């Protein structure tokens, strides 16, 4: 196990790139700028190590990063309807950055913060602890919020993200990572033939602006039923209004059933790579890069639609406006703690 540290020049500042390496040769690289995961090298069935996430060729491009490649997202992951919410009868307004709505914490959000970083090494795991304080009132959110996010890689080829936070006022908080996974390796193909199994029997209905309507729908009988596994292209090619609202694909919150060991399993038959996701979060947004801008300069070539799938484990910001959704409220001095593990394997 080892960690390599390099200087990455971003926004005229010396940021740091940390590369976590386990004894099998798997690597996870991340920046302290935005907590951005820039590269994950994982083996295929022939033990060829290739990159399985989307990342820019030039680190400076992360200063704009319209697609949020690899970034930590907060304080609120997802969209807040009409850029406002109430906590205990008091109204809060957050910046509009997605039409009239608020997306992924605004700017400066967690994805553009320079986090303090402390690497660590153990006998069977390596990692880095990222620390950031968001002041009271930043982007309209109440409370001084202290966050710790820990990235850990072990010798079982498991990459874990642990999120911890406390606020000195009651606030709204749900944090995720916005990595785009592509198990083909070095972006050799899109993700339309990736087979996904989700332990979820319900999903959240969206309107044409991708805002939850307040309805929670059963997956049965629709292309949102991933309980026995299905390919992503089923939803891309579907004429179901929910897929059309998401620009031909998925950008929806699935509520986990939590009856199985893994909440999510993704398989690429060609490379043999598998990705199993286990989380204590109540649900996940699966985004299939339907609106990914084209011609962004990635490490392996230009970006295009359907080049990656995001597995954004989180609570639901719809809970700020509707009943029956997993809450994003955090009480004063309450400890926010959640963990998601991405286990890479082959079949």
């Amino acid at each position: 196990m080892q960690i390599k540290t390099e200087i990455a020049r971003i926004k005229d500042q010396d940021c740091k790139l940390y590369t976590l390496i386990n004894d099998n040769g798997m690597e996870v690289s991340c920046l302290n700028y935005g907590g951005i995961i820039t590269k994950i090298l994982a083996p295929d069935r022939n033990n060829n190590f290739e990159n399985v996430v989307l990342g820019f060729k030039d680190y400076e491009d992360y200063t704009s990063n319209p697609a949020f490649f690899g970034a930590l997202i907060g304080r609120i992951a997802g969209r807040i309807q009409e850029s406002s919410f109430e906590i205990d009868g008091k109204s809060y307004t957050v910046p509009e950055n997605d039409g009239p709505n608020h997306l992924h914490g605004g700017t400066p959000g967690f994805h553009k913060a320079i986090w303090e970083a402390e690497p660590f090494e153990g006998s069977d795991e390596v990692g880095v602890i990222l620390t950031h304080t968001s002041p009271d009132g930043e982007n309209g959110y109440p409370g001084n919020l202290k966050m710790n996010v820990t990235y850990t890689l072990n010798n079982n080829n498991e990459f874990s993200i642990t999120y911890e936070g406390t606020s000195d006022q009651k606030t709204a908080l749900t944090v995720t990572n916005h990595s785009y996974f592509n198990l083909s390796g070095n972006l050799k193909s899109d993700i339309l033939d990736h087979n996904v199994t989700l332990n979820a029997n319900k999903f959240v209905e969206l309107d044409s602006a991708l805002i939850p309507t307040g309805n929670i729908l059963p997956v049965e009988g629709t292309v949102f039923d991933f309980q026995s596994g299905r390919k992503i292209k089923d939803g891309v090619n579907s004429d179901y209004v929910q897929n059309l609202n998401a620009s031909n694909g998925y950008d929806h919150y699935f509520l986990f059933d939590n009856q199985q060991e893994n909440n999510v399993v993704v398989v690429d038959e060609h490379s043999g790579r598998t990705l199993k996701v286990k989380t204590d979060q109540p649900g996940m947004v699966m985004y299939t890069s339907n609106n990914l801008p084209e011609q962004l300069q990635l490490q392996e070539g230009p970006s295009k639609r359907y080049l990656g799938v995001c597995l954004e484990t989180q609570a639901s910001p719809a809970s700020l406006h509707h009943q029956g959704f997993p809450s994003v409220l955090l009480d004063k001095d309450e400890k926010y703690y959640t963990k998601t593990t991405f286990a890479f394997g082959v079949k």
Side-chain angles (χ1 to χ4, degrees):
M1 310 292 288
Q2 62 174 310
I3 301 175
K4 293 182 179 178
T5 305
E6 304 171 42
I7 298 297
R9 192 75 176 162
I10 301 174
K11 268 189 173 179
D12 295 324
Q13 298 185 66
D14 284 340
C15 298
K16 289 186 177 180
L17 177 75
Y18 297 92
T19 299
L20 315 178
I21 307 171
N22 71 10
D23 291 341
N24 306 318
M26 182 176 165
E27 299 185 10
V28 177
S29 296
C30 66
L31 292 163
N32 67 329
Y33 181 84
I36 292 168
I37 296 168
T38 63
K39 184 183 293 186
I40 296 179
L41 300 182
D44 67 6
R45 64 164 61 92
N46 297 315
N47 209 35
N48 296 312
F49 285 79
E50 295 173 307
N51 185 27
V52 295
V53 293
L54 276 61
F56 283 115
K57 182 178 180 179
D58 186 344
Y59 294 143
E60 191 70 24
D61 288 338
Y62 287 115
T63 61
S64 55
N65 200 9
F68 300 93
F69 289 136
L72 291 174
I73 303 296
R75 298 188 184 189
I76 289 288
R79 291 173 173 84
I80 296 179
Q81 180 180 343
E82 300 297 327
S83 301
S84 64
F85 57 91
E86 289 188 0
I87 298 178
D88 295 339
K90 183 176 180 179
S91 295
Y92 296 91
T93 300
V94 289
E96 298 178 2
N97 63 340
D98 186 56
N101 306 306
H102 176 80
L103 175 65
H104 287 340
T107 298
F110 288 179
H111 63 294
K112 294 194 175 181
I114 297 178
W115 294 62
E116 295 293 323
E118 182 180 340
F120 63 89
E121 296 185 41
S123 59
D124 59 354
E125 66 179 23
V126 289
V128 59
I129 301 170
L130 300 168
T131 305
H132 174 62
T133 298
S134 175
D136 177 33
E138 183 173 51
N139 283 340
Y141 291 97
N144 293 295
L145 174 72
K146 295 181 178 180
M147 285 295 306
N148 284 344
V149 177
T150 304
Y151 290 160
T152 306
L153 176 65
N154 68 20
N155 278 328
N156 294 321
N157 287 1
E158 294 173 332
F159 174 59
S160 297
I161 306 178
T162 304
Y163 307 86
E164 301 172 271
T166 55
S167 172
D168 60 3
Q169 296 181 48
K170 190 173 183 179
T171 192
L173 183 71
T174 186
V175 189
T176 196
N177 179 273
H178 208 279
S179 288
Y180 291 72
F181 296 97
N182 183 321
L183 301 183
S184 70
N186 292 345
L187 308 186
K188 286 196 293 293
S189 65
D190 58 35
I191 45 93
L192 295 180
D193 281 321
H194 280 30
N195 193 82
V196 178
T197 304
L198 297 180
N199 185 22
N201 58 21
K202 296 177 182 178
F203 74 101
V204 173
E205 182 182 59
L206 301 179
D207 66 18
S208 59
L210 302 176
I211 297 298
T213 64
N215 295 325
I216 297 175
L217 304 178
V219 300
E220 281 80 10
T222 76
V223 291
F224 284 76
D225 188 350
F226 288 88
Q227 294 176 102
S228 298
R230 75 181 324 128
K231 292 187 175 181
I232 288 172
K233 66 182 178 185
D234 290 357
V236 171
N237 297 328
S238 168
D239 60 1
Y240 181 34
V241 65
Q242 284 301 297
N243 297 112
L244 299 179
N245 282 352
S247 301
N248 302 102
Y250 301 94
D251 196 359
H252 294 73
Y253 188 81
F254 290 81
L255 289 115
F256 291 135
D257 204 10
N258 287 322
Q259 299 295 312
Q260 302 168 20
E261 180 180 359
N262 297 299
N263 304 92
V264 187
V265 179
V266 185
V267 178
D268 176 53
E269 294 289 350
H270 183 72
S271 69
R273 289 187 179 92
T274 64
L275 172 58
K276 298 178 180 180
V277 183
K278 185 175 183 179
T279 185
D280 55 10
Q281 288 281 38
M284 178 194 78
V285 173
M286 183 171 73
Y287 172 51
T288 49
S289 55
N290 327 312
N291 293 305
L292 183 62
E294 300 196 351
Q295 301 302 314
L296 299 175
Q297 295 305 304
L298 308 182
Q299 295 169 34
E300 296 85 1
S303 64
K304 61 180 180 179
R305 296 177 76 195
Y306 311 121
L307 200 56
V309 57
C310 299
L311 309 170
E312 304 164 51
T313 56
Q314 58 179 95
S316 175
S319 62
L320 294 170
H321 295 92
H322 303 285
Q323 298 294 315
F325 291 80
S327 176
V328 298
L329 294 182
L330 182 73
D331 283 329
K332 176 184 176 182
D333 297 328
E334 178 187 1
K335 184 174 182 180
Y336 178 88
Y337 179 91
T338 180
K339 181 178 181 179
T340 296
T341 298
F342 302 90
F344 293 87
V346 294
K347 59 170 295 185

